[in-house]
Amino acid sequence: MRYAETGFNLEIDLSRGNIEKEQTDPRLTELHLGGLGTNAKILWDRVPPEVEPFSPDNLLIFSTGLLCGTPAVGANRTIVSTVSPQTLLMGYSMMGGFWAPELKFAGYDKVILRGKSPKLVYLWINNDKVEIRDASHLQGKGAVETTELIKRELKEPKAQVAAIGLAGENRVYMASIEQGRSSASRLGIGAVMGDKRLKAIAVRGTKDINLARPAEFIELCNEVLQYIKAREEHPVPGVMPILAGLGSPQEMRIVDEEWHTTNFMWGNARTRRRDFWNQEVEEKWREIQENVRTRLISCYNCPMKCGAIISVPGISTYMMKCFSKLTYTMAAYSDLDFGFKIAQRATEYGVDGFSTPQVMAFALELYEAGILTDKDMPGIPSDNEGRFYWLLDRIVRREGIGDVLANGTYWAAKKIGKGAEEYAHNNIKKHEQLPLKLGMLNPVYFLMYCTGEKANITQIEGQFPQSPFPTMEEREEFVKDWIQVPDEKFKQYLLKWELRGEYGNPHYPDVQASCYIVDWQEKMHYIDDALGICAGLSSFPLKPPYHIHNYPTIISAATGMDIDEAGLTEITKRNRNLLRAFNVRRGLRRADEKPPEDHWKKRYPELEEELLDAYYQFKGWNNQGIPTKETLDGLGLDYVRGDFEQRGIYNGGKKKRPGTKQASQKSKKAKAEN
Amino acid sequence: MKKVKVIKIDADKCNGCRACEAICSAFHAAPKYSSTNPERSKIRVLFDPLKDIYIPVMAGEYTEAECNGRDIYTIDGKEYDECSFCRASCPSRNLFKDPDSGLPLKCDMCEEEPPLEEPMCVQWCLSDALTYEEREEEGEEEEKPGEMEIGLESLVKKHGMKKVLDTVAQMANKS
Ligand code: SF4
Ligand code: SF4
């Protein structure tokens, strides 16, 4: 019997309409756990670097994590992996909600999609019955709308549906996959789904997921629950309210947004408004938020309530979580009320709430600068909010200038030329970043921004405070019950870390300490992404219930494999290096690993080189960021080493850059109503 | 005196996490906790987020025949689906039936020896949508049928005692 996992994947060839159920090799679970780990393995094996994102040979993998479907609290992540049309590297995005456990209960660990359907279809997985169904009647429909329509036509209110909207159908690089309460938004994976002409996947499952050592496992789950309870009663003092507790930043529950609104940039990641927040704003925003928020809601088997049902009078109800509350508001220099309204349309279209507002703000800057003119923007409204709606409608339809903008700021700027590149100033690896512009270089964040494989800071940071506590008293208080640290030295780093001076940024944490801190933060994300545990209960918040000391026993009790901390660390390293190897093979090198030029005002080129050198070495990579032969062999990845050698990658060889064509994709445009 | 056990349901506090379903199904697995499957749970959360409807319902009695009619409630302007608040495992709907055998499921308040402090769903509902109360009431403590008895009874009602006995005898012969 297989424990925690089902031991089966669904292999779907959309070109031929072929469906196979395939047993998986249990050895792969031992080597990679599951989720992102096994996704990376499949992508490495089956998607060579020549494959372009919109090729039928590109795979789109919907994976559960290893613990999804067990009673492990917060084990609900769906990990979607493919080649990103935007970065041309591996795109992996995750969503919470209910889809992954349902897939487990239907009897599968992953759905692996290849090929391209000749017409728009959706997949219906009902336990052993799996069918590809016509979706022509769903063309142009919103993502939330599609979900409701599919559940109704299947007469299955309990089915879980992941769907794309118009943006995905039109292969917009910011297209997301929406699943009611949650979405997998980053890196354009919705565009790949649309390219495969797959509108949605509906799942319903009524089978068992087994545990190897049930009594022990439940005992551990109870401890996690108890810890969550205690932690909720004791928010971390001295940090902003939305980050003091567990879960994703609690922006649906909490109104106080002083931190985001006065520290993050408005517009096209441009303007800091230090004095924006005041009592008047707080009162107004409280009223707005409380008026539209009907209920706080959770993902499967999690008490954190990071999401909310949002009902703005006059428009359809939708669900929201986290920072998308503010991204549109701040990009448009507008009000919270506008943010809640436009997010409804954006959710139906199925677009990433991080990148999309930035792309629109970028376009408006170009317009003001005269780089885009009335010829490019015929009929654009005169007010800012109207302009955002106008742009959004055109981007998701790839209409006029929208066709250019739909590829994100990096590719759009290249296409527009005339100095537009200067305005695409907030990217890493061609991907839009959080709108943050700061003063003093932070060495830990420098490394994370450079090397994070997902090109998204929230997917690598966490656990270690973002800035030092001002007083020794606060620091001592913080480290007192900091059981999550891998070892004592991390407490020392925090105790020593000062606001400024010798022990402040950029020289402290020093180079070595920075390597350790980044490695720990990143490691926890890799574990979560393999297990399908929400980062909000583990790698992201301060003092989470899951950590490196209890994870090995939890995994062992669930699966029956005997894993200790060292073993878990090794698996994580293997997964991490495999992901890097996939991207190296697609051309990723040191030159790509840099934060936006203006991310910090005070930069230290020499120190930055030193940091990157040291971190690469720490990771077992050469000075180009390529895993060395010894590193790969040591992790049992000798097949990767062999491939690298054959391709001459160690000899500075062949930096292949596939898919740089930026042809208009209008031909694929789906017609749609509003 | 008899002991009355009450799970109080504050539907306004329910966040739809279905932790109650997960743990209920695990607790009642044999061996205990060995498997999870919300479809076997004796509590189900009926929810429709876009209508802001969240109602945890515990499985009640098995009924052979459906009601003569069905009810649809509207509360605070929200229209609930047919039979939303009904606890019965009944032929008219696909709720509270074991997914493999089709046998009815019924909440047993997690009865066991020694007794739990609170039923499992209540313990795992950190949102306090489910809370537990016990009180004494006049009257005789009634003998409660066990899980197997409930299942057998429904089989007998459906197929008749003879058919069930014959089948059991056949199975015994085979093994
Ligand atoms: S912490 Fe929040 S986002 Fe994570 S699983 Fe729980 S409810 Fe979902
Ligand atoms: S555990 Fe509580 S909050 Fe979660 S679905 Fe059940 S009743 Fe609702």
Side-chain angles (χ1 to χ4, degrees), chain A residues 27 31 36 53 56-57 62 156 213 347 352 468 476 485 601 634:
Chain A
R27 175 90 187 116
L31 289 170
L36 180 62
D57 295 332
F62 281 72
E156 267 296 352
R213 301 203 289 268
T347 306
D352 175 16
E476 275 167 356
V485 287
K601 218 180 256 143

Side-chain angles (χ1 to χ4, degrees), chain A residues 187-319:
Chain A
L187 299 159
I189 53 175
V192 176
M193 187 154 163
D195 181 62
K196 298 202 171 303
R197 311 301 294 145
L198 181 65
K199 181 70 177 172
I201 309 182
V203 196
R204 175 82 177 106
T206 61
K207 300 191 198 184
D208 296 351
I209 288 297
N210 300 305
L211 290 171
R213 301 203 289 268
E216 187 188 334
F217 186 80
I218 290 292
E219 193 50 44
L220 292 160
C221 290
N222 279 325
E223 278 169 24
V224 165
L225 275 181
Q226 290 315 317
Y227 188 89
I228 292 175
K229 251 194 228 168
R231 183 70 181 69
E232 284 302 280
E233 281 155 19
H234 299 100
V236 174
V239 300
M240 41 283 181
I242 54 166
L243 293 181
L246 296 171
S248 302
Q250 291 295 312
E251 299 187 64
M252 296 296 110
R253 178 161 57 88
I254 292 169
V255 176
D256 183 346
E257 287 286 1
E258 176 167 14
W259 182 65
H260 272 134
T261 55
T262 62
N263 283 292
F264 282 51
M265 310 305 262
W266 294 64
N268 179 26
R270 283 297 179 197
T271 324
R272 185 160 169 192
R273 298 167 81 180
R274 283 175 200 273
D275 47 12
F276 175 79
W277 194 257
N278 55 38
Q279 202 167 344
E280 199 188 319
V281 176
E282 175 152 0
E283 272 161 29
K284 186 168 160 210
W285 283 27
R286 176 179 307 282
E287 199 186 311
I288 293 171
Q289 186 159 329
E290 285 170 1
N291 273 341
V292 301
R293 185 190 62 200
T294 328
R295 181 186 297 255
L296 293 171
I297 52 174
S298 283
C299 302
Y300 179 78
N301 193 16
C302 174
M304 294 316 304
K305 300 185 276 226
C306 306
I309 303 173
I310 305 291
S311 295
V312 183
I315 60 178
S316 306
T317 299
Y318 68 108
M319 289 166 261

